[in-house]
């Protein structure tokens, strides 16, 4: 994994952990999967826009 990808996913996971409500484990898992899918779909576009 290259440093750009690692930093991007680290930032996304950090923000998710900071704002996740105290809810059930299933809800937190589903929220994590959803955010991960969105992040994975946005990363190629963001890299193309920034030229990285």
């Amino acid at each position: 994994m290259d440093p750009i990808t690692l930093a991007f996913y680290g930032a996304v996971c950090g923000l998710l952990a900071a704002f996740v409500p105290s809810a059930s484990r299933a809800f937190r898992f589903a929220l994590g999967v959803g955010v991960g899918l969105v992040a994975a779909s946005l990363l190629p576009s963001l890299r193309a826009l920034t030229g990285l």
Side-chain angles (χ1 to χ4, degrees), residues 15-39:
L15 287 172
L16 177 62
F19 293 105
V20 70
S22 56
S24 70
R25 182 176 294 180
F27 176 76
R28 289 189 315 235
F29 177 75
L31 183 63
V33 168
V35 170
L37 290 173
V38 170

Side-chain angles (χ1 to χ4, degrees), residues 1 5 8-9 15 17-18 28 32 34 52:
M1 185 179 288
T5 305
F8 178 74
Y9 286 115
L15 287 172
R28 289 189 315 235
L52 297 174

